[in-house]
Amino acid sequence: MTDGKEVDQRLNALMTNVNAVRAVASAVEGTIGPKGMDTMLVDNFGSVTITNDGVTILEEMEATHPAAKMVINTARAQEKEVGDGTTTATIWAGALVTEGLNQVIRGVPVARVLEGMRVGIRRAISSFERRAHPIQGPDDPLLYKVALIAGRDQEDIAELIIKAARMVGKEKLLDPAFKLRDCISAVEGLENQVFEGVLITKGRLNKQMPQEVLNPRILIIDDALAPEEIEESVLTTEAGVNRYLRLREEFQENLLKVINLGVKLILVDRRVDDCAEEMLADAGVMVVRRVPYKEWYRVAEHTGAWPLKRTGLRKPPAELERYLGSAQRAWEDEEREQIRIEGGAGKPFATILVGAATEEVVGERERIARDAASAVQAALKGGVVPGGGSVELAVARDLEKAKSELRGMAAYGLDCVIEALKRPFTQIVTNAGFNALEKLGDVVAAQIEKNSDCLGIDCDSGEVCDLWEKGVVDPVLVKIHALKVAGELAEAILRIDTIIRKKDSRKDSGNLELEQKEG
Ligand SMILES: Nc1ncnc2c1ncn2[C@@H]1O[C@H](COP(=O)(O)OP(=O)(O)OP(=O)(O)O)[C@@H](O)[C@H]1O
Ligand SMILES: [Mg+2]
């Protein structure tokens, strides 16, 4: 038996956590939808970020409460997995824990609430899946709409993303390891552009090397481009010195071999030895050192090159040749110290350069483009549903129907999901300056009458309209994933009924840590 005091304490812990989650959710809910406002983030040094992006706000927010940090991790998970819908995920997390707490206060056991929530989320996901329309391929006009909606109506960005998606092709876009959003960089003072190829954010090693090479054969060294190292202590003996000299000689012979194979571009992961720099510059080879792994890996895929360690240079020419990639052109934009490799012989790649007028907007333009690119890929994978929070209302009605199948108090858990599903709609409408309750009634009535999940609110006029016809569509996977991560967070939070301050192991740590107990 638990006495009243213990129950009170448990509820206290739960309420503290729920309040922290709610506080985080309310920090981002004002940004959702086409009329969502931007947030200005300022740090102690006066550096400013202006954004509308949920995860960016959360990342930069000073959150000290552990439950708040858990929400931030939820948004991060959403960002990492699908790249868009971080605000939606946070709003859902906030709504699920709030509704869950309300049920617990009414006397529903936590276990029953969680049981109903799990059923609700599962049902909601299959209802979303049933309602999704497939996307045929990068040329499907719906895909442009997806890019436009996720890209906050910035037509130039939507066009760029679609152009890049076409260059890359459907097969590559469906590859789980490929992220179109990683092909984007925003550059101040540059025109928008997409080119078939990859970008290296470093300049060439030496200005005596050519600024442009045509039809280059390409070598990638995942290592330093230098003779093999030997221990200094060995150099005290004559044999050691001889070995050192032999290694240097061998290294130079290897470089000659590379030059004779017609290699015109060498990307090196680490440093480049002085003597190699000189030899290669004399031979008209473009060399780039300290190329980040991510970038040379992309070049390898795009040009068909296989990275080599320095010892690999010992291979005979015929074998070495098989490790070389090729492209139509490589050239350096000297002003920005960036190298472009275009027309590679391997897998297609596109680089998306988003132009931005000022430094302040560079970051936000890049984030918008990344959201749009993520949404485009997610839409191709799972299809699309009407946006504006409208399809969620139809899904909520599907759940109402499932309620009768649940026995006992678990139905209250299902109610939490139903309420949460309505939140994106009410928030989008509120942000557009309309009365959310009134509009909710209008839309639900219209959806039932016309038997359509496409009906929602036009955020300009406040009238009921067909969002599908207006081109307001969202990738279904973004919603499904957001609901999943929000459900996981809600479950974790609702299960916690004790907060214990851990013994201070580090001197400066005053942070609360959570101890989880079955609810
Ligand atoms: N013109 C529009 N009319 C109605 N709803 C819209 C319109 N444009 C976008 N939306 C809706 O806004 C929601 C997305 O808002 P927003 O992009 O601000 O948040 P998010 O995608 O959840 O998070 P993130 O901050 O990661 O982008 C979607 O439900 C989308 O359908
Ligand atoms: Mg978005």
Side-chain angles (χ1 to χ4, degrees), residues 32-33 52-54 83-88 149-152 371-372 375 474 478:
I32 195 171
N52 183 297
D53 188 41
D84 190 22
T86 58
T87 309
T88 305
I149 292 297
R152 300 189 197 291
D371 278 4
D474 290 330
V478 171

Side-chain angles (χ1 to χ4, degrees), residues 28-36 51-57 75 78-79 83-91 148-153 367 371 385-390 392 424-425 428 431 456-460 465 467 470-475 478-479 482:
V28 295
E29 64 193 14
T31 68
I32 195 171
K35 306 289 175 188
T51 186
N52 183 297
D53 188 41
V55 73
T56 307
I57 298 172
Q78 175 76 9
E79 171 75 9
D84 190 22
T86 58
T87 309
T88 305
T90 312
I91 288 178
L148 198 58
I149 292 297
R152 300 189 197 291
D153 252 345
R367 280 188 288 276
D371 278 4
V385 285
S390 62
E392 288 89 334
F425 174 88
I428 289 169
N431 289 351
I457 291 293
D458 178 326
C459 286
D460 290 317
C465 71
L467 289 174
K470 275 183 65 111
V472 180
V473 287
D474 290 330
V478 171
K479 294 189 192 293

Side-chain angles (χ1 to χ4, degrees), residues 17-334:
N17 286 334
V18 169
N19 281 338
V21 173
R22 222 169 4 196
V24 176
S26 61
V28 295
E29 64 193 14
T31 68
I32 195 171
K35 306 289 175 188
M37 302 296 271
D38 288 352
T39 301
M40 189 188 224
L41 300 155
V42 188
D43 71 10
N44 290 342
F45 306 101
S47 135
V48 172
T49 309
I50 296 173
T51 186
N52 183 297
D53 188 41
V55 73
T56 307
I57 298 172
L58 297 179
E59 286 278 9
E60 310 238 342
M61 211 166 90
E62 217 173 333
T64 46
H65 195 284
K69 287 185 180 158
M70 287 166 75
V71 188
I72 296 171
N73 284 336
T74 300
R76 253 184 222 144
Q78 175 76 9
E79 171 75 9
K80 187 158 174 273
E81 196 56 36
V82 275
D84 190 22
T86 58
T87 309
T88 305
T90 312
I91 288 178
W92 273 337
L96 285 174
V97 295
T98 307
E99 297 298 326
L101 174 66
N102 288 343
Q103 301 295 3
V104 174
I105 290 173
R106 286 176 61 186
V108 185
V110 173
R112 295 284 85 74
V113 174
L114 294 179
E115 184 189 333
M117 257 190 204
R118 266 181 242 130
V119 173
I121 288 173
R122 254 199 332 265
R123 292 289 179 108
I125 289 172
S126 39
S127 168
F128 274 127
E129 281 168 348
R130 259 200 326 277
R131 291 171 183 279
H133 301 244
I135 295 276
Q136 300 309 332
D139 292 313
D140 194 324
L142 265 178
L143 206 57
Y144 173 73
K145 304 285 184 198
V146 171
L148 198 58
I149 292 297
R152 300 189 197 291
D153 252 345
Q154 304 221 359
E155 287 172 12
D156 66 321
I157 291 187
E159 276 161 23
L160 269 180
I161 300 297
I162 294 298
K163 206 165 153 192
R166 289 188 182 142
M167 264 179 200
V168 168
K170 187 174 177 182
E171 191 189 331
K172 184 101 196 144
L173 290 169
L174 292 177
D175 173 357
F178 176 77
K179 301 255 189 281
L180 187 61
R181 65 166 183 249
D182 289 342
C183 300
I184 296 169
S185 22
V187 192
E188 191 187 335
L190 199 74
E191 297 273 296
N192 283 339
Q193 48 190 304
V194 182
F195 63 87
E196 198 178 342
V198 287
L199 187 78
I200 292 176
T201 55
K202 300 258 156 144
R204 62 199 195 274
L205 177 59
N206 180 320
K207 291 282 178 250
Q208 276 153 20
M209 291 173 174
Q211 175 259 341
E212 177 184 23
V213 282
L214 294 176
N215 299 313
R217 299 186 102 180
I218 299 163
L219 173 68
I220 298 177
I221 304 286
D222 170 20
D223 200 347
L225 187 61
E228 280 167 60
E229 278 154 26
I230 53 176
E231 279 183 35
E232 247 174 65
S233 59
V234 180
L235 291 175
T236 51
T237 64
E238 196 185 328
V241 171
N242 285 339
R243 184 165 140 66
Y244 170 79
L245 292 174
R246 252 201 331 276
L247 281 176
R248 284 208 74 83
E249 214 172 286
E250 189 194 17
F251 176 65
Q252 287 173 9
E253 281 164 16
N254 287 339
L255 288 178
L256 259 180
K257 198 163 54 186
V258 168
I259 292 167
N260 290 335
L261 277 171
V263 170
K264 287 282 176 230
L265 173 64
I266 305 181
L267 305 182
V268 185
D269 183 87
R270 290 163 53 196
R271 72 187 169 89
V272 176
D273 171 88
D274 287 346
C275 136
E277 177 176 342
E278 200 179 313
M279 265 181 85
L280 293 165
D282 287 347
V285 179
M286 184 195 260
V287 183
V288 195
R289 70 172 165 197
R290 301 198 196 287
V291 178
Y293 163 80
K294 241 181 162 173
E295 294 183 5
W296 65 245
Y297 189 83
R298 236 180 269 163
V299 176
E301 281 202 284
H302 181 54
T303 64
W306 286 90
L308 270 176
K309 295 283 176 201
R310 63 184 113 172
T311 46
L313 293 176
R314 288 206 195 113
K315 295 178 194 300
E319 202 180 320
L320 199 56
E321 213 170 357
R322 292 211 296 271
Y323 287 81
L324 303 180
S326 63
Q328 281 163 5
R329 180 179 178 227
W331 60 281
E332 179 180 336
D333 175 344
E334 290 191 296

